[in-house]
Amino acid sequence: MHKAITVTKDTFWVGVNDYETDLFESLWPLPQGVAYNAYVVLGEKTAAIDTVKGPKFDDYLDKVAETLAGRSLDYLIVNHMEPDHAGLTAQLKRVYPGLKIVGNAKTAPLLKGYHGIEEDVVQVKDGESLDIGGHPLFFYTIPMVHWPESMVTYDAATKTLFSNDAFGGFGAHEGGIFDDEKPRPRWEDEMLRYYAAIVARYSNLVQGALKKLKGLEIKNIYPAHGTLFRTDIGQVAELYDRWSRHDTECGVVVAYGSMYGNTRHMAEAVCGGICEGGVKNVRLYDASRSDMSLILRDIWRYKGLVLLGCTYNTVLFPTVAALCEKLINRMPKNRLLGIAGSYSWSKGALAALRAFADAVKLERVGPEVEVFTAPTPADLEQCAELGRNMAKAVSAGQQ
Ligand SMILES: Cc1cc2nc3c(=O)[nH]c(=O)nc-3n(C[C@H](O)[C@H](O)[C@H](O)COP(=O)(O)O)c2cc1C
Ligand SMILES: [Fe+2]
Ligand SMILES: [Fe+2]
């Protein structure tokens, strides 16, 4: 990945792979790295679309210079001010002093705040265009996908949508950068994990963005993270549409918190019941040991969720409580929820899960199970019943 790559006429990928950042946003693990995709479009004038994360400046700049082949850089289009894309704005302007920075009204205060830049800013409105000579670039705001100032850039000449965080995914480029150069499960899993971790909270605004972009004839979707799509744009748009509509697959995530295994036995009994009920897609997660982004990813994928926790210092076990908090923030819909708790003296876990269930407003599947110390065979049968009921409920209406 040391060279720029031609991605369509006059258009180059000048992005980088990042294997050094271990936690994206200091939160989300990157076992397969992450890519920051940035682009250069050459018309009569030259334009860069987004930059990359700070420490990768030299790598990025080499590629930009390679594509420019001695020309100067006229425009930097800032689709999104988050520093993983716009962090190099001031540095780039120092290298190319004539650089004009293109953003919208909500970009301006962030540009001033992060980079002290107020001059040479071209402010564009939603739907406005900038013709760089041979490449009419249109800008469409997509508020909160991922920040208030987020926008996409559409090149009407090549019918390419530079979508920034939208349609983005974790994972560095391992070989090629395009969808037809990677196996779909590889990119889809990491795209959904990115969606669930970063974008899911704003799902209704994703729906708005999709509606806004619907009229465009799009041949390529080139996001700022992960795979570049040029083969079957429809399938990618459909994924985003489904995820943001809370449309799910038939399956159940069972996530638990347990110190000494008693609550885990309950969770395993639930899984047994789900299997008995004929549902194969069961994902059992120890909330203390599996990364939250994997659990969130599968919650976003599947229709059913069962949460179990023991009581810890009078409240719900902390790692399950943390998962509940993340879910409240993302407000999943159209899913089914089952809950179970354990205790030895004061209780607390199940009551907290009930409060969570009320707050998240998901349809409930029973029975609720509350277990004293170690689960008895009757307790485990109740857990299995919860699993069977969940299987029946998630199967209903699905093939
Ligand atoms: C450090 C610690 C704190 C606990 N706090 C409470 C509590 O406040 N109230 C309660 O009813 N049980 C409490 N328990 C008991 C556990 O909820 C109970 O033993 C449960 O069966 C443990 O499930 P596990 O085997 O899945 O870890 C606590 C246990 C431990 C180890
Ligand atoms: Fe972002
Ligand atoms: Fe990003």
Side-chain angles (χ1 to χ4, degrees), residues 24-25 36 80 82 84-85 146 164-165 194 198 224-225:
F24 191 81
E25 296 178 348
Y36 313 109
H80 179 23
E82 192 167 359
D84 54 336
H85 307 294
H146 162 224
N164 200 270
D165 279 345
Y194 182 91
I198 312 287
H225 297 288

PDB file of all heavy atoms in Angstrom, residues 24-25 36 80 82 84-85 146 164-165 194 198 224-225, ligand 3:
ATOM      1  N   PHE A  24      -9.692   2.090  18.161  1.00  0.00           N
ATOM      2  CA  PHE A  24     -10.311   3.166  17.388  1.00  0.00           C
ATOM      3  C   PHE A  24     -11.118   4.037  18.352  1.00  0.00           C
ATOM      4  O   PHE A  24     -11.892   3.513  19.162  1.00  0.00           O
ATOM      5  CB  PHE A  24     -11.230   2.535  16.332  1.00  0.00           C
ATOM      6  CG  PHE A  24     -11.734   3.485  15.303  1.00  0.00           C
ATOM      7  CD1 PHE A  24     -10.940   3.836  14.219  1.00  0.00           C
ATOM      8  CD2 PHE A  24     -13.006   4.018  15.393  1.00  0.00           C
ATOM      9  CE1 PHE A  24     -11.412   4.712  13.246  1.00  0.00           C
ATOM     10  CE2 PHE A  24     -13.483   4.894  14.425  1.00  0.00           C
ATOM     11  CZ  PHE A  24     -12.675   5.238  13.355  1.00  0.00           C
ATOM     12  N   GLU A  25     -10.970   5.340  18.274  1.00  0.00           N
ATOM     13  CA  GLU A  25     -11.609   6.267  19.223  1.00  0.00           C
ATOM     14  C   GLU A  25     -11.300   5.897  20.671  1.00  0.00           C
ATOM     15  O   GLU A  25     -12.095   6.141  21.579  1.00  0.00           O
ATOM     16  CB  GLU A  25     -13.131   6.310  19.021  1.00  0.00           C
ATOM     17  CG  GLU A  25     -13.561   6.850  17.675  1.00  0.00           C
ATOM     18  CD  GLU A  25     -15.079   6.838  17.467  1.00  0.00           C
ATOM     19  OE1 GLU A  25     -15.785   6.200  18.267  1.00  0.00           O
ATOM     20  OE2 GLU A  25     -15.537   7.472  16.490  1.00  0.00           O
ATOM     21  N   TYR A  36      -7.674   4.326   6.456  1.00  0.00           N
ATOM     22  CA  TYR A  36      -8.246   5.639   6.190  1.00  0.00           C
ATOM     23  C   TYR A  36      -8.124   5.843   4.689  1.00  0.00           C
ATOM     24  O   TYR A  36      -7.008   5.899   4.159  1.00  0.00           O
ATOM     25  CB  TYR A  36      -7.488   6.739   6.939  1.00  0.00           C
ATOM     26  CG  TYR A  36      -7.244   6.399   8.396  1.00  0.00           C
ATOM     27  CD1 TYR A  36      -5.966   6.092   8.846  1.00  0.00           C
ATOM     28  CD2 TYR A  36      -8.299   6.337   9.299  1.00  0.00           C
ATOM     29  CE1 TYR A  36      -5.743   5.740  10.173  1.00  0.00           C
ATOM     30  CE2 TYR A  36      -8.076   5.979  10.623  1.00  0.00           C
ATOM     31  CZ  TYR A  36      -6.796   5.678  11.041  1.00  0.00           C
ATOM     32  OH  TYR A  36      -6.582   5.321  12.342  1.00  0.00           O
ATOM     33  N   HIS A  80     -15.829  15.513   6.534  1.00  0.00           N
ATOM     34  CA  HIS A  80     -16.084  15.227   7.958  1.00  0.00           C
ATOM     35  C   HIS A  80     -14.880  15.725   8.747  1.00  0.00           C
ATOM     36  O   HIS A  80     -13.751  15.502   8.351  1.00  0.00           O
ATOM     37  CB  HIS A  80     -16.258  13.708   8.082  1.00  0.00           C
ATOM     38  CG  HIS A  80     -16.505  13.183   9.455  1.00  0.00           C
ATOM     39  ND1 HIS A  80     -17.032  13.928  10.494  1.00  0.00           N
ATOM     40  CD2 HIS A  80     -16.313  11.937   9.963  1.00  0.00           C
ATOM     41  CE1 HIS A  80     -17.146  13.162  11.566  1.00  0.00           C
ATOM     42  NE2 HIS A  80     -16.712  11.956  11.278  1.00  0.00           N
ATOM     43  N   GLU A  82     -13.939  14.925  11.858  1.00  0.00           N
ATOM     44  CA  GLU A  82     -13.301  14.056  12.855  1.00  0.00           C
ATOM     45  C   GLU A  82     -11.829  13.886  12.462  1.00  0.00           C
ATOM     46  O   GLU A  82     -11.499  13.722  11.283  1.00  0.00           O
ATOM     47  CB  GLU A  82     -14.015  12.694  12.933  1.00  0.00           C
ATOM     48  CG  GLU A  82     -13.556  11.905  14.153  1.00  0.00           C
ATOM     49  CD  GLU A  82     -14.427  10.685  14.478  1.00  0.00           C
ATOM     50  OE1 GLU A  82     -15.413  10.442  13.765  1.00  0.00           O
ATOM     51  OE2 GLU A  82     -14.089   9.990  15.454  1.00  0.00           O
ATOM     52  N   ASP A  84      -9.690  11.683  12.316  1.00  0.00           N
ATOM     53  CA  ASP A  84      -9.159  10.571  11.508  1.00  0.00           C
ATOM     54  C   ASP A  84      -9.253  10.880  10.011  1.00  0.00           C
ATOM     55  O   ASP A  84      -8.655  10.169   9.200  1.00  0.00           O
ATOM     56  CB  ASP A  84      -9.850   9.229  11.843  1.00  0.00           C
ATOM     57  CG  ASP A  84     -11.368   9.257  11.737  1.00  0.00           C
ATOM     58  OD1 ASP A  84     -11.960  10.348  11.847  1.00  0.00           O
ATOM     59  OD2 ASP A  84     -11.951   8.182  11.542  1.00  0.00           O
ATOM     60  N   HIS A  85      -9.967  11.951   9.649  1.00  0.00           N
ATOM     61  CA  HIS A  85     -10.077  12.335   8.231  1.00  0.00           C
ATOM     62  C   HIS A  85      -9.595  13.747   7.957  1.00  0.00           C
ATOM     63  O   HIS A  85      -9.169  14.041   6.855  1.00  0.00           O
ATOM     64  CB  HIS A  85     -11.529  12.229   7.755  1.00  0.00           C
ATOM     65  CG  HIS A  85     -12.134  10.906   8.042  1.00  0.00           C
ATOM     66  ND1 HIS A  85     -11.685   9.760   7.442  1.00  0.00           N
ATOM     67  CD2 HIS A  85     -13.108  10.529   8.904  1.00  0.00           C
ATOM     68  CE1 HIS A  85     -12.389   8.732   7.905  1.00  0.00           C
ATOM     69  NE2 HIS A  85     -13.237   9.176   8.804  1.00  0.00           N
ATOM     70  N   HIS A 146     -21.310  11.056  10.319  1.00  0.00           N
ATOM     71  CA  HIS A 146     -21.318  10.662  11.704  1.00  0.00           C
ATOM     72  C   HIS A 146     -21.373  11.841  12.694  1.00  0.00           C
ATOM     73  O   HIS A 146     -21.647  11.670  13.868  1.00  0.00           O
ATOM     74  CB  HIS A 146     -20.035   9.824  11.884  1.00  0.00           C
ATOM     75  CG  HIS A 146     -19.510   9.584  13.212  1.00  0.00           C
ATOM     76  ND1 HIS A 146     -18.178   9.671  13.537  1.00  0.00           N
ATOM     77  CD2 HIS A 146     -20.143   9.241  14.347  1.00  0.00           C
ATOM     78  CE1 HIS A 146     -17.996   9.369  14.794  1.00  0.00           C
ATOM     79  NE2 HIS A 146     -19.155   9.104  15.322  1.00  0.00           N
ATOM     80  N   ASN A 164     -17.391   9.084   2.892  1.00  0.00           N
ATOM     81  CA  ASN A 164     -16.779   9.254   4.207  1.00  0.00           C
ATOM     82  C   ASN A 164     -17.151   8.113   5.154  1.00  0.00           C
ATOM     83  O   ASN A 164     -17.032   6.946   4.791  1.00  0.00           O
ATOM     84  CB  ASN A 164     -17.103  10.632   4.794  1.00  0.00           C
ATOM     85  CG  ASN A 164     -16.098  10.969   5.886  1.00  0.00           C
ATOM     86  OD1 ASN A 164     -16.322  10.662   7.045  1.00  0.00           O
ATOM     87  ND2 ASN A 164     -14.963  11.509   5.516  1.00  0.00           N
ATOM     88  N   ASP A 165     -17.610   8.404   6.385  1.00  0.00           N
ATOM     89  CA  ASP A 165     -17.865   7.319   7.347  1.00  0.00           C
ATOM     90  C   ASP A 165     -19.019   6.408   6.903  1.00  0.00           C
ATOM     91  O   ASP A 165     -19.060   5.229   7.267  1.00  0.00           O
ATOM     92  CB  ASP A 165     -18.212   7.894   8.730  1.00  0.00           C
ATOM     93  CG  ASP A 165     -16.972   8.301   9.526  1.00  0.00           C
ATOM     94  OD1 ASP A 165     -15.859   7.888   9.155  1.00  0.00           O
ATOM     95  OD2 ASP A 165     -17.130   9.033  10.523  1.00  0.00           O
ATOM     96  N   TYR A 194     -18.397  -1.880  12.609  1.00  0.00           N
ATOM     97  CA  TYR A 194     -18.232  -0.426  12.562  1.00  0.00           C
ATOM     98  C   TYR A 194     -19.595   0.262  12.694  1.00  0.00           C
ATOM     99  O   TYR A 194     -19.756   1.225  13.448  1.00  0.00           O
ATOM    100  CB  TYR A 194     -17.553  -0.027  11.241  1.00  0.00           C
ATOM    101  CG  TYR A 194     -17.284   1.445  11.104  1.00  0.00           C
ATOM    102  CD1 TYR A 194     -16.080   1.999  11.530  1.00  0.00           C
ATOM    103  CD2 TYR A 194     -18.242   2.306  10.559  1.00  0.00           C
ATOM    104  CE1 TYR A 194     -15.842   3.359  11.418  1.00  0.00           C
ATOM    105  CE2 TYR A 194     -18.015   3.657  10.440  1.00  0.00           C
ATOM    106  CZ  TYR A 194     -16.807   4.177  10.869  1.00  0.00           C
ATOM    107  OH  TYR A 194     -16.583   5.529  10.761  1.00  0.00           O
ATOM    108  N   ILE A 198     -20.198   2.651  15.791  1.00  0.00           N
ATOM    109  CA  ILE A 198     -20.004   4.079  15.501  1.00  0.00           C
ATOM    110  C   ILE A 198     -21.283   4.766  15.014  1.00  0.00           C
ATOM    111  O   ILE A 198     -21.555   5.911  15.349  1.00  0.00           O
ATOM    112  CB  ILE A 198     -18.911   4.268  14.401  1.00  0.00           C
ATOM    113  CG1 ILE A 198     -17.662   3.435  14.713  1.00  0.00           C
ATOM    114  CG2 ILE A 198     -18.584   5.734  14.165  1.00  0.00           C
ATOM    115  CD1 ILE A 198     -16.795   3.920  15.818  1.00  0.00           C
ATOM    116  N   ALA A 224     -14.506   6.342   3.521  1.00  0.00           N
ATOM    117  CA  ALA A 224     -13.247   6.781   4.123  1.00  0.00           C
ATOM    118  C   ALA A 224     -12.627   5.716   5.028  1.00  0.00           C
ATOM    119  O   ALA A 224     -11.550   5.920   5.577  1.00  0.00           O
ATOM    120  CB  ALA A 224     -13.465   8.077   4.898  1.00  0.00           C
ATOM    121  N   HIS A 225     -13.327   4.602   5.227  1.00  0.00           N
ATOM    122  CA  HIS A 225     -12.743   3.459   5.955  1.00  0.00           C
ATOM    123  C   HIS A 225     -13.124   2.192   5.211  1.00  0.00           C
ATOM    124  O   HIS A 225     -14.274   2.054   4.762  1.00  0.00           O
ATOM    125  CB  HIS A 225     -13.337   3.314   7.363  1.00  0.00           C
ATOM    126  CG  HIS A 225     -13.080   4.472   8.274  1.00  0.00           C
ATOM    127  ND1 HIS A 225     -11.852   4.756   8.812  1.00  0.00           N
ATOM    128  CD2 HIS A 225     -13.923   5.415   8.766  1.00  0.00           C
ATOM    129  CE1 HIS A 225     -11.941   5.827   9.594  1.00  0.00           C
ATOM    130  NE2 HIS A 225     -13.184   6.255   9.576  1.00  0.00           N
TER     131      HIS A 225
HETATM  132 FE    FE B   3     -14.067   8.014  10.384  1.00  0.00          FE
END
